[in-house]
Amino acid sequence: MKLLLVGGGAREHALAWKLCRERTVRELVCAPGNAGIARLARCVPLDVADPGAILDAAAREQVDFTVVGPELPLARGVADVFAAAGRPLFGPRKAAARLESSKVFAKRFMERHRIPTARFRVCETPADALAAVGGGEFGFPVVVKADGLAAGKGVTVAPDRETAEAAVRAAMVDGRFGAAGASLVIEECLTGDEASFFVLCDGRRGVALPSAQDHKRALDGDRGPNTGGMGAFAPSPLVSPALAGRVMADIVQPVLDGLRSEGQEYRGVLYVGLMLTRDGPQVIEFNVRFGDPEAQVVLPMIETDLAPVLFSAATGDLGAAESRTAGDPHVGVVVASGGYPGAFETGYEIDGLDAAEALPGVVVFHAGSGLRDGRIVTSGGRVLTVVGRGGTFAEARVRAYEAAACISFPHKHVRTDIGMKALAAVDDGAA
């Protein structure tokens, strides 16, 4: 197959790294790609927010199959555009993609289909939202979520009433998230450990991939502001085979069956953000694409060819497909620009990439990187994800951090505790 891969982050680099080495893929084109992907595939310019432009690129390149990485084109209906044109694409249609693009839709859908999740209230006006957080219905901390896509910045876990009210005003009065904050979900704050669960779906059934855990806060010890993710590890020691089976039975299958009963088939990857509570796994959120940085540690674990499985899911027939995975732990450390997720500078030359990639059991995925005069420079907040593989989590961590230490640019920022939760869970016998 000739494939078009849409996107330009570390998630897409991980997908390109996986796909380009498979026997069923004769050529891979990425749009728009990045400096790392350009070493694996031909990159072409593209506005990923424009479904029509993506279709034009697929037709122009005469690709057999298109794989979409980020959520925005899916939320804007790229799968519908491709279906109308008779071209296969991996990713759910716009109506099903509301599981991520609308928190209100997702919560009401879970309520309708009895999928375990936190108690919530939907608020359409500032007055309703302020009353919800001020009335003590859910206690504190309380979670305030913007309804729409807000680049990972639309969720506030408010420890007190003052913080909750400030979050409401920022979204609904100040318009910090634009139309995405016109409606809010106010919900109880669940307690427990978080895990990420990924399933390839053909509309009727799903094939589970390795679980993972990520680190969202900018600073060690889960302090500082929320980010898109500062690192991840896989598989999660907290997700046993029995728990995975429960998630498939109590969450994933009801999602697929529920969407079908409402006239939709979910074809693509379903990301289930879980809170592992005393009462069992509950859904924090859904994503309709691979997570980032989780994809960077999950995809290298898959030993079977991925492209034919994605194609089977996209065309509605996974059949007896399964994913064979390596059990070796993977730890991914994000190398970021200083100041991220706030203000940061770009354009710095990145040194040490060759030395990092030469280390055994290491792969480096690019996100915010670009080319200038033939040199690789920083171009974003999250610049790289450095992944180490080892026989244990301890070994994987050592490899990831040894490689990250090889890489340098001004104001580089790295958390030093990525994967420590895995070591603690293993020590506690969670697996």
Side-chain angles (χ1 to χ4, degrees):
M1 290 187 288
K2 180 179 180 180
L3 268 61
L4 172 65
L5 174 61
V6 177
R11 167 185 49 224
E12 288 75 35
H13 191 179
L15 281 164
W17 177 88
K18 172 62 178 164
L19 294 169
C20 75
R21 60 185 59 205
E22 297 183 356
R23 61 184 183 275
T24 55
V25 178
R26 62 177 173 83
E27 185 179 354
L28 179 65
V29 179
C30 191
N34 59 40
I37 296 173
R39 296 189 290 179
L40 302 174
R42 181 164 54 87
C43 294
V44 297
L46 180 71
D47 178 4
V48 300
D50 185 346
I54 299 172
L55 178 64
D56 290 344
R60 183 171 60 252
E61 293 289 342
Q62 296 182 313
V63 300
D64 301 300
F65 184 39
T66 299
V67 177
V68 176
E71 66 275 16
L72 183 57
L74 297 169
R76 293 193 172 183
V78 67
D80 304 79
V81 170
F82 270 63
R87 286 188 169 274
L89 176 142
F90 180 75
R93 293 202 184 189
K94 183 177 182 178
R98 288 181 296 169
L99 286 175
E100 178 171 1
S101 65
S102 173
K103 299 293 191 297
V104 171
F105 171 82
K107 295 295 287 190
R108 287 175 170 163
F109 175 85
M110 286 186 276
E111 184 177 52
R112 286 196 300 276
H113 297 284
R114 299 181 179 180
I115 295 167
T117 190
R119 294 181 300 117
F120 71 99
R121 183 192 294 187
V122 173
C123 299
E124 305 288 353
T125 68
D128 287 344
L130 290 170
V133 299
E137 179 179 356
F138 303 114
F140 293 100
V142 67
V143 182
V144 180
K145 294 182 176 180
D147 173 45
L149 298 177
K153 300 179 176 65
V155 178
T156 298
V157 180
D160 50 44
R161 177 172 178 172
E162 181 181 2
T163 306
E165 291 180 346
V168 169
R169 292 190 181 96
M172 304 190 86
V173 179
D174 301 337
R176 179 176 298 173
F177 311 117
S183 299
L184 296 180
V185 172
I186 311 298
E187 65 179 42
E188 68 172 323
C189 184
L190 299 174
T191 58
D193 293 303
E194 294 186 35
S196 302
F197 196 85
F198 300 93
V199 187
L200 302 179
C201 306
D202 68 0
R204 294 174 179 269
R205 67 174 292 252
V207 174
L209 298 178
S211 58
Q213 289 176 246
D214 73 338
H215 300 67
K216 282 282 192 281
R217 298 281 186 170
L219 305 176
D220 285 9
D222 291 329
R223 296 178 295 110
N226 268 326
T227 72
M230 292 300 295
F233 58 87
S236 168
L238 303 175
V239 181
S240 65
L243 181 59
R246 184 174 178 182
V247 173
M248 292 294 291
D250 295 348
I251 296 173
V252 175
Q253 198 59 50
V255 168
L256 300 180
D257 294 343
L259 285 171
R260 286 183 60 242
S261 73
E262 296 181 7
Q264 295 296 323
E265 283 202 345
Y266 190 97
R267 300 181 183 181
V269 62
L270 180 66
Y271 165 114
V272 186
L274 297 170
M275 183 70 78
L276 307 180
T277 74
R278 291 182 178 179
D279 298 323
Q282 298 200 46
V283 178
I284 304 172
E285 64 174 351
F286 292 116
N287 289 164
V288 298
R289 35 72 187 184
F290 284 103
D292 184 343
E294 295 100 328
Q296 293 91 290
V297 292
V298 169
L299 291 169
M301 296 183 66
I302 301 173
E303 295 181 329
T304 45
D305 280 1
L306 184 62
V309 181
L310 300 184
F311 185 83
S312 296
T315 52
D317 186 12
L318 278 169
E322 294 182 1
S323 66
R324 186 175 67 250
T325 60
D328 289 350
H330 287 64
V331 173
V333 176
V334 169
V335 180
S337 296
Y340 171 80
F344 55 86
E345 297 179 349
T346 61
Y348 295 119
E349 186 174 321
I350 304 172
D351 292 319
L353 287 169
D354 290 343
E357 292 175 319
L359 295 175
V362 169
V363 61
V364 179
F365 296 121
H366 290 238
S369 72
L371 288 173
R372 185 182 66 201
D373 300 327
R375 304 288 293 178
I376 298 178
V377 299
T378 65
S379 64
R382 290 188 295 172
V383 180
L384 307 162
T385 305
V386 181
V387 178
R389 173 179 180 170
T392 64
F393 278 111
E395 184 179 3
R397 284 192 80 249
V398 167
R399 287 179 170 174
Y401 277 107
E402 282 182 348
C406 294
I407 297 167
S408 64
F409 56 84
H411 311 301
K412 162 189 160 185
H413 171 59
V414 174
R415 271 186 62 162
T416 66
D417 61 348
I418 303 300
M420 291 299 293
K421 291 179 181 179
L423 298 184
V426 171
D427 288 343
D428 288 342

